[in-house]
């Protein structure tokens, strides 16, 4: 049972990245998925989340209008499309799967990916 977060890298301000969260050993479609990030010296925070149905989503105010979460159940994968990236988006991004009562409740997730580093810098 594993979650694999990937797609991070170095990008200039205003650029885009797409993060992937791929599950192996279990069916991701049965779980809600959240994306979290942790910047240096800061606590991990919730960025976005998607319900099992795919019809309900959550975005933190800081990323609303710039990030889009989606899921492809056939590929057992959830994506986070990040556009108009800012230096303050620099962080390690983690995905998590579970059945939380709210997307940002980190303790209620069952599985966590290892994190992928996003650096936004010129």
């Amino acid at each position: 049972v594993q979650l694999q977060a990937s797609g991070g890298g170095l990008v200039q301000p205003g650029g885009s990245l797409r993060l992937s969260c791929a599950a192996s050993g279990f069916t991701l479609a049965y779980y809600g998925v959240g994306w979290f990030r942790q910047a240096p010296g800061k606590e991990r925070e919730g960025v976005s989340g998607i319900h099992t149905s795919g019809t309900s989503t959550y975005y933190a105010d800081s990323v609303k209008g710039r990030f889009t979460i989606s899921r492809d159940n056939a590929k057992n994968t959830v994506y986070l499309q990040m556009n108009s990236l800012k230096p303050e988006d620099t962080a390690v991004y983690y995905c998590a799967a579970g059945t939380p009562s709210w997307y940002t409740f980190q303790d209620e997730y069952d599985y966590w990916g290892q994190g992928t580093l996003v650096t936004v810098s010129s």
Side-chain angles (χ1 to χ4, degrees):
V1 173
Q2 189 176 12
L3 273 181
Q4 180 78 31
S6 62
L10 174 64
V11 63
Q12 292 186 342
S16 298
L17 283 174
R18 188 177 78 160
L19 304 185
S20 298
C21 177
S24 58
F26 69 104
T27 303
L28 194 58
Y30 297 155
Y31 295 87
V33 174
W35 282 99
F36 298 82
R37 67 186 181 187
Q38 187 167 22
K42 295 188 176 181
E43 292 188 354
R44 190 164 60 188
E45 62 175 356
V47 174
S48 182
I50 188 165
H51 190 262
T52 52
S53 66
T55 59
S56 176
T57 57
Y58 160 81
Y59 297 98
D61 287 343
S62 58
V63 307
K64 206 170 288 184
R66 300 188 297 122
F67 290 11
T68 303
I69 191 169
S70 62
R71 63 191 312 154
D72 185 338
N73 290 335
K75 295 184 177 180
N76 222 23
T77 301
V78 168
Y79 302 99
L80 185 68
Q81 177 68 43
M82 306 187 298
N83 298 330
S84 303
L85 283 162
K86 304 175 181 180
E88 51 263 44
D89 295 317
T90 295
V92 177
Y93 284 71
Y94 301 87
C95 63
T99 55
S101 53
W102 184 245
Y103 301 106
T104 59
F105 293 173
Q106 300 184 40
D107 292 345
E108 297 184 10
Y109 284 88
D110 300 308
Y111 307 108
W112 286 84
Q114 84 289 359
T116 185
L117 177 63
V118 172
T119 304
V120 184
S121 174
S122 55

